[in-house]
């Protein structure tokens, strides 16, 4: 079995832009151009919304380039839902940001494959605060999501932001209501920087957040933050970037406050000890069944290889970090 679970560090668009993007691809995939025939090999995937923008792009482009030979579909339902569907055999592959353990893979007859990396960013809705301007330390972020810091003008937030006039707005934390790999990565980070968080709440695709409101998938979190003054949430960087949402500069292990960017994400993957590395980055994985038979098995292998080669430029344009091509040469 090929599994790179232990080889990669696990550390990481709003609104109208999100809906425009997905509406476009739904239309294109639904209508097609008449090339799909009864001989077309169809691969269906579902799962993580973290990579959904790039998976939707890849699936459409790869299908178009096959000239009717292949149709790849991907539906962003959340990591937990995707893994359940691939286990049940209702889809051919799944996306997950929370890697399955060796025991889980063996028990369900699954193969796990790393696809690309990206960043989990913290977004806020604060009047007058510019993108990347607000600084949050690790302990402050954990205590906001624990409900211990309840107002934006709290002294602990103000201490790191002397140049910003912070409003006395109530802080409204927003979290993922569904089973989510994004939540796994975010809570894993909080557990790594806060012993209290680790003990009281822990890490998982679904945890019991002490305060706040839930949102369905990454778009749901972005929508809630964008409509609630004083809102704070976490999401994959592409959703924040394309939705023009305000991101926070997060403190990393070196004590520096890092503005999220593809460059700081890439440093976290290649040089995690670099003082300019962003602190919450992670790898997203593709999972499929060992029992997947030809011709689908061969087409999936071809699709993955294409994603790592021709698809890498698209991943970069959508603010993700492509992984080394050598990985694709070892497809199970």
């Amino acid at each position: 079995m090929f599994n790179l679970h232990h080889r990669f560090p696990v550390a990481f668009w709003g609104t109208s832009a999100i809906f425009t993007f997905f509406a476009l691809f739904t239309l294109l995939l639904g209508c097609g151009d008449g090339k799909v025939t009864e001989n077309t090999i169809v691969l269906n995937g579902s799962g993580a919304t973290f990579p959904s923008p790039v998976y939707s792009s890849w699936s459409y482009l790869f299908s178009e380039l096959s000239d009717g030979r292949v149709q790849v579909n991907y539906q962003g339902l959340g990591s937990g839902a995707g893994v359940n569907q691939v286990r049940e055999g209702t889809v051919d592959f799944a996306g997950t940001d929370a890697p399955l353990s060796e025991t889980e893979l063996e028990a369900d007859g699954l193969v796990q494959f790393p696809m690309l990396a990206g960043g989990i960013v913290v977004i806020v809705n604060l009047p007058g605060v510019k993108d990347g301007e607000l600084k949050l330390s690790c302990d402050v972020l954990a205590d906001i999501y624990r409900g211990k810091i309840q107002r934006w003008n709290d002294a602990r937030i103000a201490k790191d932001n002397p140049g910003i006039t912070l409003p006395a707005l109530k802080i409204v934390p927003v979290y993922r209501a569904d089973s989510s790999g994004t939540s796994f990565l975010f809570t894993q980070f909080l557990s790594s920087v806060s012993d209290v968080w680790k003990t009281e709440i822990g890490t998982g695709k679904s945890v019991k957040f002490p305060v706040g409101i839930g949102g369905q998938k990454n778009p749901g979190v972005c929508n809630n933050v964008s409509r609630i003054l004083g809102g704070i949430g976490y999401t994959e960087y592409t959703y924040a970037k394309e939705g023009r949402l305000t991101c926070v500069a997060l403190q990393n292990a070196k004590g520096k406050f890092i503005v999220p960017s593809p460059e700081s994400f890439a440093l976290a993957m290649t040089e995690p000890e670099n003082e300019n590395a962003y602190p919450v980055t992670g790898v997203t994985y593709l999972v499929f069944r060992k029992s997947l038979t030809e011709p689908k098995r061969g087409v999936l292998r071809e699709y993955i290889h294409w994603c790592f080669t021709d698809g890498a430029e698209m991943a970069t344009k959508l603010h993700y970090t492509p992984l080394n091509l050598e990985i694709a040469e070892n497809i199970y």
Side-chain angles (χ1 to χ4, degrees), residues 244-320:
R244 299 181 180 179
L245 302 177
T246 301
C247 293
V248 165
L250 281 184
Q251 186 182 41
N252 65 12
K254 299 295 184 180
K256 290 192 65 174
F257 292 94
I258 306 299
V259 175
S261 69
E263 293 76 20
S264 60
F265 304 153
L267 279 175
M269 292 291 108
T270 59
E271 303 176 46
E273 299 303 316
N274 190 297
E275 66 175 8
N276 294 312
Y278 187 75
V280 198
T281 58
V283 173
T284 190
Y285 298 80
L286 186 148
V287 179
F288 61 97
R289 299 185 305 281
K290 287 182 181 180
S291 60
L292 188 66
T293 58
E294 301 293 353
K296 286 190 174 185
R297 188 185 190 86
V299 170
L300 181 58
R301 185 183 298 112
E302 181 184 346
Y303 171 66
I304 293 172
H305 194 275
W306 180 90
C307 292
F308 274 82
T309 52
D310 293 6
E313 183 178 359
M314 175 61 74
T316 300
K317 286 180 178 179
L318 290 174
H319 317 298
Y320 294 90

Side-chain angles (χ1 to χ4, degrees), residues 128-312:
V129 175
K130 299 176 183 178
D131 186 47
E133 185 178 35
L134 183 72
K135 299 175 181 177
L136 289 181
S137 64
C138 301
D139 59 324
V140 164
L141 180 62
D143 281 352
I144 285 174
Y145 268 87
R146 290 177 60 230
K148 303 304 180 182
I149 298 178
Q150 300 181 352
R151 296 280 171 179
W152 280 110
N153 62 345
D154 186 279
R156 292 173 62 191
I157 302 176
K159 178 183 177 182
D160 293 321
N161 296 278
I164 301 177
T165 301
L166 295 166
L169 279 172
K170 181 181 178 180
I171 300 175
V172 183
V174 182
Y175 53 84
R176 285 285 292 271
D178 54 319
S179 180
S180 158
T182 306
S183 286
F184 173 84
L185 293 169
F186 183 68
T187 57
Q188 184 181 60
F189 169 69
L190 293 181
S191 291
S192 73
V193 298
S194 168
D195 289 337
V196 176
W197 183 278
K198 183 178 180 179
T199 301
E200 294 184 356
I201 303 163
T203 299
K205 290 182 288 188
S206 295
V207 302
K208 188 174 181 179
F209 285 90
V211 293
I213 63 173
Q216 288 292 327
K217 310 173 189 176
N218 278 294
V221 170
C222 292
N223 288 341
N224 281 341
V225 172
S226 68
R227 70 180 180 81
I228 299 173
L229 279 179
I232 181 172
Y234 57 92
T235 189
E236 194 278 322
Y237 179 66
T238 301
Y239 292 88
K241 186 71 173 177
E242 298 303 325
R244 299 181 180 179
L245 302 177
T246 301
C247 293
V248 165
L250 281 184
Q251 186 182 41
N252 65 12
K254 299 295 184 180
K256 290 192 65 174
F257 292 94
I258 306 299
V259 175
S261 69
E263 293 76 20
S264 60
F265 304 153
L267 279 175
M269 292 291 108
T270 59
E271 303 176 46
E273 299 303 316
N274 190 297
E275 66 175 8
N276 294 312
Y278 187 75
V280 198
T281 58
V283 173
T284 190
Y285 298 80
L286 186 148
V287 179
F288 61 97
R289 299 185 305 281
K290 287 182 181 180
S291 60
L292 188 66
T293 58
E294 301 293 353
K296 286 190 174 185
R297 188 185 190 86
V299 170
L300 181 58
R301 185 183 298 112
E302 181 184 346
Y303 171 66
I304 293 172
H305 194 275
W306 180 90
C307 292
F308 274 82
T309 52
D310 293 6

